[in-house]
Amino acid sequence: MHRMRTLLALSVLAVTPPAAAGIVFAPHLAEYSRLASGPYTEVSFIRSRIEESYDREGQTLPLGAPFVKPGESIDVSLALLKFLWVGNVFRDTQVPLLKDRPQFCRVIASLSHQQASGAVTDRSRLFGLTSGASGLGDLFGLCGIYGEEHRLGPLKFNGLFATTVKVPVGRWDEQALLNSGTHYWSVIPQLALHANLWGRLFIDGTLAYQAKGHNDRPAYGGLTPTHPADFRNAEINFAWKFSERWYVDLGYSYRESVGANRYEQVTVNFVDPVPPEEACDALSLQDPVCAAANVFFLEPQDRVYRDEGVRGRLLTAGAYYVYRASSVLGLRIAQPVGGRGSQIDVAFDVFAGEPDPERPGRVRRGAQISTTTATLNGVQEAAAVSASPYLELRWVHLFWAP
Amino acid sequence: MRSVRRPVALVMALLAGPAAAEAPRLGAYAPLHPGLYAHTSLRHDARDASFDADGQRVRGVAPASGGETRFPQSALTLALEWHLPLFELQEVPFFSGRHHLVRVQMQQVQTEARGALVDASGLPVEARGREGSGLGDLQVDVGSFLFGSPVGSRNGREGPALPWALQLRLGVDIPFGVYARDAPVSAGDNTWAYRAALGAHARPWQGALLDLGLRWQTYGVNEEPLFGALAPRQRGSSVALDLSLSQRLAPGWHLGVYGEAMQGADNRYRNPRFSVPSPVPPAGTEAVPVAGDYRDDGIRSVRAGLSLYRFVGQRWVAGLHADGAISGRSGAFDLPYENRRPAGCQPGAIGCTVSAGETVRVDGLGPARAYASTRYHLSLRYQFGLGDPYPCTGCERSSP
């Protein structure tokens, strides 16, 4: 029984696909309960097909809208490899507080694959950009301490405090719509609580704050923030035990940015001069210049752009099976139920095209004729908020029983 | 039969799918004693020769470039394989009475593009393949032994072990590998792959191990094929047959021969953006490939090799292997160009005229390429422990 409960106390931190804004503290069964000392390994596999995202009004948009037709998607796969150690290195010392409270440390590595579908890829090529990524993601390391366990009749509860550091070692391509890494540091302190009622109902909740660093090499034409906003996270999870082997849970997760994301290096532009109709269609412009000369050139104005902040709400539901008292298999679905994505209004200077005397048959940039504005979507982890569900398959294994 | 107006324009090739380049394993389809096994191998392939679309062996991988081109590749592979019983006390149909296996394989690949074709393409130095080096795709396989069991153990009860076994295996390649979309070579394929395989193992005479496998594999869509979309967007399904026979020469020493034959269906390409070399357009015009879907005739590969194995103690098996290509065929297709006047104009724009240009022969990249070079492998297998790691593997309980 004790070993079984030990196994059910799962990870203290879970990470969702990089395509979603921020690190989402997706709840799991008995996530923050006090684990018995020992090493735990965990492998999670996450799949999603992102077909919709949230705009700054909180409305769902088909992926790539209005720049591509509905029906496009981003295929996302993520594998998380986790190693957790629980113990007490101060147990036989006189260090106050720590000698009576076990500590835990954890390392999380990730592999990801993300690829946009055909029309999104073709659109990206107009700007000389690519629309996929794969490889090693950022590395997460966390350490924390459990609080004491308390009992009130049928209720048993404990708390914990932990801090996570995200190390930006993941693969980063400035030309890509999607990336495995984030290219900025994060420090994430969190407080969490676990409660167990009658040995049947498990409640886990947490509050966390993500302090984010800067990204001096934004990707996708500067549509990833150079100064991603900090995040606040809150989550709660309710789990029910049907038997020693079967459990189910329901959870809710909320996250929001503190202030706005800042974009300081917006350079997105066409590789070659394009006819007005194609340029206006690609940037969804409604401007008289769309009926103008044969070709024209666009240049984004060098300014600092800010969005209106991002947020997301998520519901999760899962089932767990305990096998052999050494493994836990879990299957879970997560469904976004609201959010706000990052969008900025980028000002473009419009220049007429004129024959290039040095290259007969070619066109060069001429005089400025106008200024126009295009609403562009922020992309990747700090800016985009997926409105599509994802599926998670998880395996936790206890190699050495405590 | 396609007509070609100009000499063929061969382009760079990529690595073949990782599943085809594994080091052979002694008793590949044999049921092993329950436990964890680690297989590591180091492979080197000079990739300085290939087969063209007519099945002719050619020097280099892009002879139309006017010089020798190579894609040397080295790969370090690690595979973890668990042989285990499942649900042996729960009487689950199919599962409880059999042994099963789970295999996870990953690679670290060093790849590069060198030679005349790369120089002619105008690629910057940093895009010449090393950008594509790194982690390869992840392979996951699960299987069951329809017949057969580890020697000396049959569901925990002593009894005669079968001298043969039949394994059914299902697998998937997850494209976590590095994929440099503008480079000619990469460690990964950016493509999901799914496979089903049947493998038979037998011990036909004293000291001999015979393994025969039949594998069918199909692929997802690669939405962003690399190097100007000259790799297939939709790779054709393939069927492969592999055979190995090893014989014990002396205590601890085995010598083996192995081979594999693979036949793939047509590969499909969409909207190639360039070819190397490309046709020279008339003055004042620009030659642009015609957008569209193209197909090749599929690839084919037959390889054979030798292996030498050495058992070091009870847990280690070292191997040295070399295999060469016997025959093969790469994928190729005809790519028509159109000429746009003035250069750089967009079709449909005022003053922009479009006329038919030349057609060039293009070799498919990546998995559409059949290499003719010799591969060398160094392998090592470690068995983490004898005996049953689980508390009870189908054991019988007597009532008190």
Coordinates of all heavy atoms in Angstrom, one line a residue, chain A residues 258-323:
Chain A
V258 N 2.6 39.1 -16.8 CA 2.6 40.3 -16.0 C 3.1 41.4 -16.9 O 4.2 41.6 -17.2 CB 3.6 40.1 -14.8 CG1 3.6 41.4 -13.9 CG2 3.2 38.9 -14.0
G259 N 2.1 42.2 -17.4 CA 2.4 43.2 -18.3 C 2.5 42.7 -19.7 O 2.0 41.6 -20.1
A260 N 3.2 43.4 -20.6 CA 3.2 43.1 -22.0 C 4.6 42.5 -22.4 O 5.6 42.7 -21.8 CB 3.0 44.3 -22.8
N261 N 4.5 41.7 -23.5 CA 5.7 41.2 -24.2 C 6.2 42.4 -25.0 O 5.4 43.1 -25.6 CB 5.4 40.0 -25.1 CG 5.1 38.8 -24.4 OD1 5.9 38.3 -23.5 ND2 4.0 38.2 -24.7
R262 N 7.5 42.6 -25.1 CA 8.1 43.6 -25.9 C 8.9 43.0 -27.1 O 9.7 42.1 -26.9 CB 9.0 44.5 -25.0 CG 8.3 45.5 -24.2 CD 9.2 46.1 -23.1 NE 10.5 46.5 -23.5 CZ 11.5 46.8 -22.7 NH1 11.2 46.7 -21.4 NH2 12.7 47.1 -23.1
Y263 N 8.7 43.6 -28.2 CA 9.3 43.2 -29.5 C 10.2 44.4 -29.9 O 9.7 45.4 -30.3 CB 8.3 42.8 -30.5 CG 7.4 41.7 -30.2 CD1 6.3 42.0 -29.3 CD2 7.5 40.5 -30.7 CE1 5.4 41.0 -28.9 CE2 6.6 39.4 -30.3 CZ 5.6 39.7 -29.5 OH 4.7 38.7 -29.1
E264 N 11.5 44.2 -29.9 CA 12.4 45.3 -30.2 C 13.2 45.1 -31.5 O 14.0 46.0 -31.9 CB 13.4 45.5 -29.1 CG 12.7 46.0 -27.8 CD 13.6 46.3 -26.6 OE1 14.8 45.9 -26.8 OE2 13.2 46.8 -25.6
Q265 N 13.0 44.0 -32.2 CA 13.8 43.7 -33.4 C 12.9 43.1 -34.5 O 13.2 42.1 -35.0 CB 14.9 42.8 -33.1 CG 16.0 43.3 -32.1 CD 17.1 42.3 -31.9 OE1 17.5 41.5 -32.8 NE2 17.6 42.3 -30.7
V266 N 11.8 43.8 -34.7 CA 10.9 43.3 -35.8 C 11.5 43.6 -37.1 O 11.6 44.7 -37.5 CB 9.5 43.9 -35.6 CG1 8.6 43.4 -36.8 CG2 8.9 43.6 -34.3
T267 N 11.8 42.5 -37.9 CA 12.5 42.7 -39.2 C 11.7 41.9 -40.3 O 12.2 41.9 -41.4 CB 13.9 42.2 -39.1 OG1 13.9 40.8 -38.7 CG2 14.7 43.0 -38.1
V268 N 10.6 41.4 -39.9 CA 9.9 40.5 -40.9 C 9.6 41.3 -42.2 O 9.1 42.4 -42.1 CB 8.6 39.9 -40.3 CG1 7.6 41.0 -39.9 CG2 8.0 38.9 -41.2
N269 N 10.0 40.7 -43.3 CA 9.8 41.4 -44.6 C 9.9 40.3 -45.7 O 10.5 39.2 -45.5 CB 10.9 42.4 -44.7 CG 10.4 43.5 -45.6 OD1 9.4 43.4 -46.3 ND2 11.2 44.6 -45.7
F270 N 9.5 40.7 -46.8 CA 9.6 39.8 -48.0 C 11.0 39.7 -48.4 O 11.8 40.7 -48.4 CB 8.7 40.3 -49.1 CG 7.2 40.3 -48.8 CD1 6.6 41.4 -48.4 CD2 6.5 39.1 -49.0 CE1 5.2 41.3 -48.1 CE2 5.2 39.0 -48.8 CZ 4.5 40.1 -48.3
V271 N 11.4 38.6 -48.9 CA 12.7 38.4 -49.5 C 12.9 39.2 -50.8 O 13.9 39.9 -51.0 CB 13.0 36.9 -49.7 CG1 14.3 36.7 -50.4 CG2 13.0 36.2 -48.4
D272 N 11.9 39.1 -51.6 CA 11.9 39.8 -52.9 C 10.8 40.8 -53.0 O 9.8 40.6 -52.3 CB 11.8 38.7 -54.1 CG 12.9 37.7 -54.0 OD1 14.1 38.2 -54.0 OD2 12.7 36.5 -54.1
P273 N 10.9 41.8 -53.9 CA 9.7 42.6 -54.1 C 8.6 41.9 -54.7 O 8.8 40.9 -55.5 CB 10.3 43.7 -55.1 CG 11.4 43.0 -55.8 CD 12.0 42.1 -54.7
V274 N 7.4 42.2 -54.3 CA 6.2 41.4 -54.7 C 5.2 42.4 -55.3 O 5.1 43.6 -55.0 CB 5.6 40.7 -53.5 CG1 6.6 39.5 -53.1 CG2 5.3 41.6 -52.4
P275 N 4.3 41.8 -56.1 CA 3.2 42.7 -56.6 C 2.3 43.1 -55.5 O 2.2 42.4 -54.4 CB 2.5 41.8 -57.6 CG 3.4 40.7 -57.9 CD 4.3 40.5 -56.7
P276 N 1.6 44.2 -55.6 CA 0.8 44.7 -54.5 C -0.2 43.7 -54.0 O -0.4 43.6 -52.8 CB 0.1 46.0 -55.2 CG 1.0 46.4 -56.3 CD 1.7 45.1 -56.8
E277 N -0.8 43.0 -55.0 CA -1.9 42.1 -54.5 C -1.3 41.0 -53.6 O -1.9 40.7 -52.6 CB -2.5 41.5 -55.8 CG -3.7 40.5 -55.5 CD -4.3 39.9 -56.7 OE1 -4.1 40.5 -57.8 OE2 -4.9 38.9 -56.6
E278 N -0.2 40.5 -54.0 CA 0.4 39.4 -53.1 C 0.9 40.0 -51.8 O 0.7 39.3 -50.8 CB 1.6 38.8 -53.9 CG 2.2 37.6 -53.2 CD 3.2 36.9 -54.0 OE1 3.2 37.1 -55.2 OE2 4.0 36.1 -53.4
A279 N 1.5 41.2 -51.8 CA 2.0 41.8 -50.6 C 0.8 42.0 -49.6 O 0.9 41.7 -48.4 CB 2.8 43.0 -50.8
C280 N -0.2 42.6 -50.2 CA -1.3 43.0 -49.4 C -2.0 41.8 -48.8 O -2.5 41.7 -47.7 CB -2.3 43.9 -50.2 SG -1.6 45.5 -50.5
D281 N -2.1 40.7 -49.6 CA -2.7 39.5 -49.2 C -1.9 38.8 -48.1 O -2.4 38.4 -47.1 CB -2.9 38.5 -50.4 CG -3.5 37.2 -50.0 OD1 -4.6 37.3 -49.4 OD2 -2.9 36.2 -50.3
A282 N -0.6 38.9 -48.3 CA 0.3 38.2 -47.3 C 0.3 38.9 -45.9 O 0.4 38.2 -44.9 CB 1.7 38.2 -47.8
L283 N 0.1 40.2 -45.9 CA 0.1 40.9 -44.7 C -1.3 41.4 -44.3 O -1.5 42.1 -43.3 CB 1.0 42.2 -44.8 CG 2.5 41.9 -44.9 CD1 3.3 43.2 -45.1 CD2 3.0 41.1 -43.7
S284 N -2.3 41.0 -45.1 CA -3.7 41.3 -44.8 C -3.9 42.8 -44.7 O -4.5 43.3 -43.7 CB -4.2 40.6 -43.5 OG -5.6 40.7 -43.4
L285 N -3.3 43.5 -45.7 CA -3.5 45.0 -45.7 C -4.7 45.4 -46.4 O -5.2 44.8 -47.3 CB -2.3 45.6 -46.4 CG -0.9 45.4 -45.8 CD1 0.2 46.0 -46.6 CD2 -0.8 45.8 -44.4
Q286 N -5.3 46.5 -45.9 CA -6.5 47.1 -46.6 C -6.0 48.6 -46.8 O -6.2 49.4 -46.0 CB -7.7 47.1 -45.7 CG -8.1 45.7 -45.2 CD -8.5 44.8 -46.3 OE1 -9.0 45.2 -47.3 NE2 -8.2 43.5 -46.2
D287 N -5.4 48.8 -47.9 CA -4.7 50.1 -48.1 C -4.8 50.5 -49.5 O -4.7 49.6 -50.4 CB -3.2 50.0 -47.6 CG -2.6 51.3 -47.4 OD1 -2.3 52.0 -48.4 OD2 -2.4 51.7 -46.2
P288 N -4.9 51.8 -49.8 CA -5.0 52.2 -51.2 C -3.7 51.8 -52.0 O -3.8 51.6 -53.2 CB -5.0 53.7 -51.1 CG -5.7 54.0 -49.8 CD -5.2 52.9 -48.9
V289 N -2.6 51.6 -51.3 CA -1.4 51.2 -52.0 C -1.5 49.8 -52.6 O -0.8 49.5 -53.5 CB -0.2 51.2 -51.0 CG1 -0.3 50.0 -50.0 CG2 1.1 51.2 -51.7
C290 N -2.5 49.1 -52.2 CA -2.7 47.7 -52.8 C -3.1 47.8 -54.3 O -3.0 46.8 -55.0 CB -3.8 47.0 -52.0 SG -3.3 46.6 -50.3
A291 N -3.6 49.0 -54.7 CA -3.9 49.1 -56.1 C -2.9 50.0 -56.9 O -3.2 50.5 -57.9 CB -5.3 49.8 -56.2
A292 N -1.7 50.1 -56.3 CA -0.7 51.0 -56.8 C 0.2 50.3 -57.9 O -0.2 49.5 -58.6 CB 0.2 51.5 -55.7
A293 N 1.5 50.7 -57.9 CA 2.4 50.4 -59.0 C 2.6 48.9 -59.1 O 2.1 48.0 -58.4 CB 3.8 51.0 -58.6
N294 N 3.5 48.5 -60.1 CA 3.7 47.1 -60.4 C 4.2 46.3 -59.3 O 3.7 45.3 -58.9 CB 4.7 47.0 -61.6 CG 4.7 45.7 -62.2 OD1 3.7 45.0 -62.2 ND2 5.8 45.3 -62.8
V295 N 5.3 46.8 -58.6 CA 5.8 46.2 -57.4 C 6.1 47.3 -56.4 O 6.4 48.4 -56.8 CB 7.1 45.3 -57.7 CG1 6.8 44.1 -58.5 CG2 8.2 46.2 -58.2
F296 N 6.1 46.9 -55.2 CA 6.7 47.9 -54.2 C 7.4 47.1 -53.1 O 7.4 45.9 -53.0 CB 5.6 48.8 -53.6 CG 4.4 48.0 -52.9 CD1 4.6 47.4 -51.7 CD2 3.2 48.0 -53.4 CE1 3.6 46.8 -51.0 CE2 2.1 47.4 -52.8 CZ 2.4 46.7 -51.6
F297 N 8.1 47.9 -52.3 CA 9.0 47.3 -51.2 C 8.4 47.7 -49.9 O 7.8 48.8 -49.8 CB 10.4 47.9 -51.3 CG 11.2 47.3 -52.5 CD1 11.0 47.8 -53.8 CD2 12.1 46.3 -52.3 CE1 11.7 47.4 -54.8 CE2 12.9 45.9 -53.4 CZ 12.6 46.4 -54.6
L298 N 8.5 46.9 -48.9 CA 8.1 47.2 -47.6 C 9.2 47.1 -46.6 O 10.2 46.3 -46.8 CB 7.0 46.1 -47.1 CG 5.7 46.1 -47.8 CD1 4.9 44.9 -47.4 CD2 4.9 47.4 -47.5
E299 N 9.2 47.9 -45.6 CA 10.2 48.0 -44.6 C 9.6 48.2 -43.2 O 8.9 49.3 -43.0 CB 11.2 49.1 -44.9 CG 12.5 49.1 -44.0 CD 13.4 48.0 -44.4 OE1 13.5 47.6 -45.6 OE2 14.1 47.5 -43.5
P300 N 9.7 47.3 -42.3 CA 9.1 47.5 -41.0 C 9.8 48.6 -40.2 O 11.1 48.7 -40.3 CB 9.2 46.2 -40.2 CG 10.4 45.5 -40.9 CD 10.4 45.9 -42.3
Q301 N 9.1 49.5 -39.6 CA 9.7 50.6 -38.9 C 10.4 50.0 -37.6 O 9.9 49.1 -36.9 CB 8.7 51.6 -38.5 CG 8.1 52.4 -39.6 CD 7.1 53.5 -39.2 OE1 6.8 53.7 -38.1 NE2 6.6 54.2 -40.2
D302 N 11.6 50.6 -37.4 CA 12.4 50.1 -36.2 C 11.9 50.8 -35.0 O 12.3 51.9 -34.6 CB 13.9 50.5 -36.5 CG 14.8 49.9 -35.4 OD1 14.4 49.1 -34.6 OD2 16.0 50.3 -35.4
R303 N 11.0 50.1 -34.3 CA 10.4 50.6 -33.0 C 10.3 49.5 -32.0 O 10.5 48.3 -32.4 CB 9.0 51.2 -33.3 CG 8.9 52.2 -34.4 CD 7.7 53.0 -34.3 NE 6.5 52.3 -34.0 CZ 5.3 52.6 -34.6 NH1 5.3 53.5 -35.5 NH2 4.2 52.0 -34.2
V304 N 9.9 49.9 -30.8 CA 9.5 48.9 -29.8 C 8.0 48.6 -29.9 O 7.2 49.6 -29.8 CB 9.9 49.3 -28.4 CG1 9.5 48.3 -27.4 CG2 11.4 49.5 -28.3
Y305 N 7.6 47.4 -30.1 CA 6.2 47.1 -30.2 C 5.8 46.3 -28.9 O 6.6 45.5 -28.3 CB 5.9 46.2 -31.4 CG 6.2 46.9 -32.7 CD1 7.5 46.8 -33.3 CD2 5.2 47.7 -33.3 CE1 7.7 47.5 -34.5 CE2 5.5 48.4 -34.5 CZ 6.7 48.2 -35.1 OH 7.0 48.9 -36.3
R306 N 4.6 46.5 -28.4 CA 4.1 45.8 -27.2 C 2.8 45.2 -27.5 O 2.0 45.8 -28.2 CB 4.0 46.8 -26.1 CG 5.2 47.3 -25.5 CD 5.0 48.3 -24.3 NE 6.2 48.5 -23.5 CZ 7.1 49.4 -23.9 NH1 7.0 50.1 -25.0 NH2 8.2 49.6 -23.2
D307 N 2.6 44.0 -27.0 CA 1.2 43.4 -27.1 C 0.4 43.8 -25.9 O 0.8 44.6 -25.0 CB 1.3 41.9 -27.3 CG 2.0 41.2 -26.1 OD1 2.0 41.7 -25.0 OD2 2.5 40.0 -26.3
E308 N -0.7 43.1 -25.7 CA -1.6 43.4 -24.6 C -1.5 42.3 -23.5 O -2.4 42.2 -22.7 CB -3.0 43.5 -25.1 CG -3.2 44.7 -26.0 CD -4.6 44.8 -26.7 OE1 -5.5 44.1 -26.1 OE2 -4.8 45.5 -27.7
G309 N -0.4 41.6 -23.5 CA -0.3 40.5 -22.6 C -1.0 39.3 -23.0 O -1.8 39.3 -23.9
V310 N -0.6 38.1 -22.5 CA -1.2 36.8 -22.8 C -1.7 36.1 -21.6 O -1.3 36.4 -20.5 CB -0.2 35.9 -23.6 CG1 0.3 36.6 -24.9 CG2 1.0 35.6 -22.7
R311 N -2.6 35.3 -21.8 CA -3.1 34.4 -20.7 C -3.7 33.2 -21.3 O -4.0 33.1 -22.5 CB -4.2 35.1 -19.9 CG -5.4 35.5 -20.6 CD -6.5 36.0 -19.6 NE -7.7 36.4 -20.4 CZ -8.1 37.6 -20.6 NH1 -7.3 38.6 -20.1 NH2 -9.1 37.9 -21.3
G312 N -3.9 32.2 -20.4 CA -4.5 30.9 -20.9 C -5.2 30.2 -19.8 O -4.7 30.3 -18.6
R313 N -6.2 29.5 -20.1 CA -6.9 28.6 -19.1 C -7.1 27.2 -19.7 O -7.4 27.1 -20.9 CB -8.3 29.2 -18.8 CG -8.2 30.5 -18.0 CD -9.6 31.0 -17.7 NE -10.3 31.5 -18.8 CZ -11.6 31.2 -19.2 NH1 -12.2 30.3 -18.4 NH2 -12.1 31.7 -20.2
L314 N -6.9 26.2 -18.9 CA -6.8 24.8 -19.4 C -7.5 23.9 -18.5 O -7.4 24.0 -17.2 CB -5.3 24.5 -19.4 CG -4.8 23.3 -20.2 CD1 -4.9 23.5 -21.7 CD2 -3.3 23.0 -19.8
L315 N -8.3 23.0 -19.0 CA -8.9 21.9 -18.3 C -8.2 20.6 -18.6 O -7.9 20.4 -19.8 CB -10.4 21.8 -18.6 CG -11.4 22.7 -17.9 CD1 -12.8 22.4 -18.4 CD2 -11.3 22.6 -16.4
T316 N -8.0 19.8 -17.6 CA -7.4 18.5 -17.9 C -8.2 17.4 -17.3 O -8.9 17.5 -16.3 CB -5.9 18.4 -17.3 OG1 -6.0 18.6 -15.9 CG2 -5.0 19.5 -17.9
A317 N -8.1 16.2 -17.9 CA -8.8 15.0 -17.4 C -7.9 13.8 -17.7 O -7.4 13.7 -18.8 CB -10.1 14.8 -18.0
G318 N -7.7 13.0 -16.7 CA -6.8 11.8 -16.9 C -7.2 10.6 -16.2 O -8.1 10.6 -15.3
A319 N -6.6 9.5 -16.6 CA -6.7 8.2 -15.9 C -5.4 7.6 -15.7 O -4.4 7.8 -16.5 CB -7.6 7.3 -16.8
Y320 N -5.2 6.8 -14.6 CA -3.9 6.3 -14.2 C -4.1 4.8 -13.9 O -5.1 4.4 -13.3 CB -3.4 7.0 -13.0 CG -3.2 8.5 -13.2 CD1 -4.3 9.4 -13.0 CD2 -2.0 9.1 -13.6 CE1 -4.2 10.7 -13.2 CE2 -1.9 10.4 -13.8 CZ -3.0 11.2 -13.6 OH -2.9 12.6 -13.8
Y321 N -3.1 4.1 -14.2 CA -3.1 2.6 -13.9 C -1.7 2.3 -13.2 O -0.7 2.7 -13.7 CB -3.3 1.8 -15.1 CG -3.2 0.3 -14.8 CD1 -4.2 -0.4 -14.2 CD2 -2.1 -0.4 -15.2 CE1 -4.2 -1.7 -13.9 CE2 -2.0 -1.8 -15.0 CZ -3.1 -2.4 -14.3 OH -3.0 -3.8 -14.1
V322 N -1.8 1.7 -12.1 CA -0.6 1.3 -11.4 C -0.3 -0.2 -11.7 O -1.1 -1.1 -11.5 CB -0.8 1.4 -9.8 CG1 0.5 1.0 -9.1 CG2 -1.1 2.8 -9.5
Y323 N 0.9 -0.4 -12.2 CA 1.3 -1.7 -12.7 C 2.4 -2.2 -11.8 O 3.5 -1.6 -11.7 CB 1.7 -1.7 -14.2 CG 2.2 -3.0 -14.7 CD1 1.4 -4.0 -14.9 CD2 3.6 -3.1 -15.1 CE1 1.8 -5.2 -15.4 CE2 4.0 -4.3 -15.6 CZ 3.2 -5.4 -15.7 OH 3.6 -6.6 -16.2

